[in-house]
Amino acid sequence: MQFLGDLDQLTVECWARWDTLEEEGHIFEFDGSHRIKLVNADMTSDLQLTGGRLPGVPERPEVRLKRDNALTVRQWHHVAVVFGTNGTALYQDGLLVGSTPAMSGLTASSVAARFLIGGCTVNAAAGFRGQIAEFRIWKMQRSTEQIRDHMFQALTGTEAGLAGLWNFRDPTQPGRNAAP
């Protein structure tokens, strides 16, 4: 994800449908200077965003935003994570789950390593079991209203501020980034 560079604002959003909660299914994971992942926590229906702690780096404590009993198997949910200069916010189905002043912004070192949609960088068995649709990365901090008002709109890939769009609609190239 080198195309993201150093960003102090970023929004990641998608639709996800869990087929099972028997694994800690990763919707996405950044693995770089600090591990950031959005998962169903501990094989439960809890939705959780975690920003990992690095050994010997006290200014990067582990951060968790969590909503208990948030997920229903075989039901689509829209999830969004907004990273900004004032912190991080987690949304589910257009509603704010929680926010924290920690984990603000992303740097090239946090996104240049590995970025997985539906996978885990540490444990391949923790891959997402279900479906992910319309995975979007924005080079901006999207507002609650923008998330809520546009979550049902299919994107073309030409929207202002859009850094990446994986809509999985092209069966010949399902992982193609549709953004310019």
Side-chain angles (χ1 to χ4, degrees):
M1 300 302 281
Q2 299 255 2
F3 66 90
L4 294 177
D6 285 318
L7 298 174
D8 59 358
Q9 298 182 31
L10 180 75
T11 302
V12 178
E13 63 178 313
C14 72
W15 284 93
R17 179 185 177 270
W18 281 256
D19 288 342
T20 180
L21 300 173
E22 294 174 8
E23 299 289 338
E24 186 176 78
H26 289 57
I27 296 174
F28 72 81
E29 183 174 320
F30 292 108
D31 183 21
S33 63
H34 53 284
R35 192 169 168 226
I36 300 170
K37 61 183 181 173
L38 181 61
V39 301
N40 64 291
D42 303 318
M43 297 182 272
T44 69
S45 63
D46 300 346
L47 181 64
Q48 179 173 283
L49 175 71
T50 303
R53 181 181 323 171
L54 288 176
V57 185
E59 67 275 7
R60 272 288 183 210
E62 184 174 64
V63 175
R64 291 177 187 240
L65 290 173
K66 183 177 178 184
R67 181 173 178 211
D68 294 335
N69 301 311
L71 306 171
T72 303
V73 172
R74 291 180 290 285
Q75 179 177 324
W76 285 97
H77 293 282
H78 183 269
V79 291
V81 181
V82 179
F83 301 95
T85 54
N86 58 345
T88 301
L90 173 62
Y91 293 84
Q92 180 192 5
D93 299 327
L95 301 174
L96 179 66
V97 169
S99 62
T100 178
M103 225 165 46
S104 60
L106 295 173
T107 64
S109 61
S110 64
V111 296
R114 292 180 287 181
F115 176 75
L116 297 176
I117 299 171
C120 174
T121 60
V122 178
N123 178 5
F128 186 74
R129 302 251 185 334
Q131 296 176 330
I132 296 175
E134 195 82 21
F135 195 95
R136 309 165 177 186
I137 299 178
W138 301 86
K139 292 183 187 180
M140 66 176 76
Q141 187 173 346
R142 307 248 311 155
S143 69
T144 301
E145 292 77 22
Q146 287 173 312
I147 291 169
R148 189 179 312 122
D149 292 347
H150 298 104
M151 66 187 203
F152 293 107
Q153 293 180 354
L155 303 184
T156 64
T158 60
E159 290 77 6
L162 187 65
L165 171 64
W166 294 265
N167 57 29
F168 308 107
R169 289 190 197 123
D170 183 349
T172 61
Q173 297 179 322
R176 183 180 68 86
N177 180 359

